[in-house]
Amino acid sequence: MTAPSEGTRHGREGAAAADGTSSARPRTVPAGRHPAAAPHGAARADATPPGPGSAGAGRGARGSSYEKGRPWRAPAARRGNALHAGAWWLWALGLATAASRTSNPLLLGLIVGVAGYVVAARRTEAPWARSYGAFVRLGLFVIGLRLLFSALLGSPIPGAHTLVTLPELALPAWAQGIRFGGRVTAEQLVFAFYDGAKLATLLICVGAANALASPARLLKSLPAALYEAGVAVVVAMTFAPNMVADVARLRTARRLRGRPTGGVRAVLQIGLPVLEGALERSVAVAASMDARGYGRTAQVPRAVRHTTTALVLGGLLGLCAGTYALLAAEGAGFGLPLLGVGVVLALAGLRLGGRRSIRTRYRPDRWGARAWLVAGSGAAVAALLVHAGSVDPEGLRPGVVPLTAPGLPLWPAAAVLIGLLPAFVAPVPSLSSKEPSR
């Protein structure tokens, strides 16, 4: 056997150095164990740790800091500990319920700030996670539109501080009670601003849920009886985020080509590719649903179908009657029992209706302790703001006649801050991944 040449030996040494090992110092292996018998995914003892500029430095440091060194901190997001999508929606609906109980702009701004902080701390880089800014702009548009309508069409709020007097148009007799133009007061504009801010906060809370909860994971967590309706809702919810991503991509491409991104002409030139992309996605979704057997159901007896229909309708009637009784002052005694019976009947109907679905769930998301904390924080904010509405109605609904500056009620504001809990207990997403790692 001939000795290896000088070039071959240098080549092997260079390859060993590039691999992080040294040919002068052989690696020791425990007795009775072959190097190839190491468990899959185990870290090498002689591997050089990633430096500050390496690709895996940030993610590895973050994972070790959150999971090993500080076990009380939120862990790095993985496939096994991904937060349930329903927990994000319950948290956002809790904030929206709290926003619906107040017109105080300070509390509404605090709710928006809480939702924005949680979104900034826990959203991923997925396309649907970039829709939060669009919902914020939609909320600002709603406030401006509400102020415009109040100035043009008037308001039932009396006011003594006239800001401007617009030309008033004479309307026909069948439009009595409606005026176009006239006196615009500061009181009516402030009332319109409070009303528009409430609606804008509701939209922003829904946008926070869209940015944090994966639509695909939410669809997978729905009951089997609601699968068809859930598919339609998820496709509708993903249309707006994908359209926002397409608009941003096309504007970036036009900017790189030196073309204008603003103006009516640019909007028209961007709109056609966006609609074309939406049509292509619709065709692709339809083809994938057909390939996966969407709409195919199992045969169940007629008695089971009739029983399912009766249970679902009875549950819906019980829910409506119980909710109406709870909202009415004279029906609070029997409202809660009706609501409970409606929930039980509806759940039983959904359970029976799920027998028609023949689909299976692959690796379903678990509802763990962190999901309970996230959903419970939103429910706590809603419950405390509902209670505050009966204890301190003036603090949650400041008056505009006479025109005074709204104050910030302390304990309702502290209750809103409970909504920040998901920013500290939810798993931390990886900055370079679109979904929790599998």
Side-chain angles (χ1 to χ4, degrees), residues 17-39:
D19 190 45
T21 60
S22 175
S23 59
R25 185 183 60 185
R27 183 177 56 181
T28 59
V29 182
R33 185 172 181 180
H34 195 272

Side-chain angles (χ1 to χ4, degrees), residues 148-155 164-171 177-185 188:
L148 179 62
F149 282 170
S150 177
L152 294 179
L153 302 178
S155 175
V164 66
T165 301
L166 300 177
E168 187 170 358
L169 299 179
L171 299 178
I178 303 176
R179 69 177 180 87
F180 191 86
R183 190 167 63 99
V184 180
T185 63
Q188 77 178 63

Side-chain angles (χ1 to χ4, degrees), residues 73-99:
R73 299 286 296 275
R78 299 188 307 274
R79 180 59 185 83
N81 64 352
L83 195 67
H84 200 285
W88 285 122
W89 272 100
L90 290 178
W91 167 79
L93 291 178
L95 293 184
T97 303

Side-chain angles (χ1 to χ4, degrees), residues 193-267:
F193 174 75
Y194 289 172
D195 198 19
K198 179 190 295 187
L199 181 57
T201 306
L202 295 177
L203 292 174
I204 290 173
C205 291
V206 174
N210 273 288
L212 293 170
S214 171
R217 295 183 183 276
L218 182 63
L219 175 63
K220 187 171 63 174
S221 303
L222 286 178
L226 300 178
Y227 180 68
E228 285 79 6
V231 169
V233 173
V234 168
V235 170
M237 286 192 309
T238 54
F239 176 76
N242 287 327
M243 186 175 63
V244 171
D246 287 346
V247 170
R249 176 175 53 83
L250 291 173
R251 292 187 63 184
T252 303
R254 290 179 62 87
R255 191 180 300 112
L256 292 176
R257 294 185 178 97
R259 298 179 182 178
T261 58
V264 178
R265 183 177 179 182
V267 171

Side-chain angles (χ1 to χ4, degrees), residues 133-160:
F135 278 91
V136 172
R137 290 189 289 270
L138 180 60
L140 295 177
F141 175 75
V142 166
I143 294 177
L145 193 63
R146 183 67 179 86
L147 291 174
L148 179 62
F149 282 170
S150 177
L152 294 179
L153 302 178
S155 175
I157 302 298

Side-chain angles (χ1 to χ4, degrees), residues 114-139:
V114 167
Y117 182 82
V118 174
V119 169
R122 289 299 183 266
R123 72 173 176 180
T124 62
E125 295 297 327
W128 43 264
R130 304 171 188 172
S131 61
Y132 182 74
F135 278 91
V136 172
R137 290 189 289 270
L138 180 60

Side-chain angles (χ1 to χ4, degrees), residues 3 11 52 59 62 86 142 155 163 239 251 309 370 372 397 426:
R59 185 173 179 181
R62 167 175 276 186
V142 166
S155 175
L163 298 179
F239 176 76
R251 292 187 63 184
T309 303
R370 298 185 185 275
W372 282 111
R397 300 180 183 86

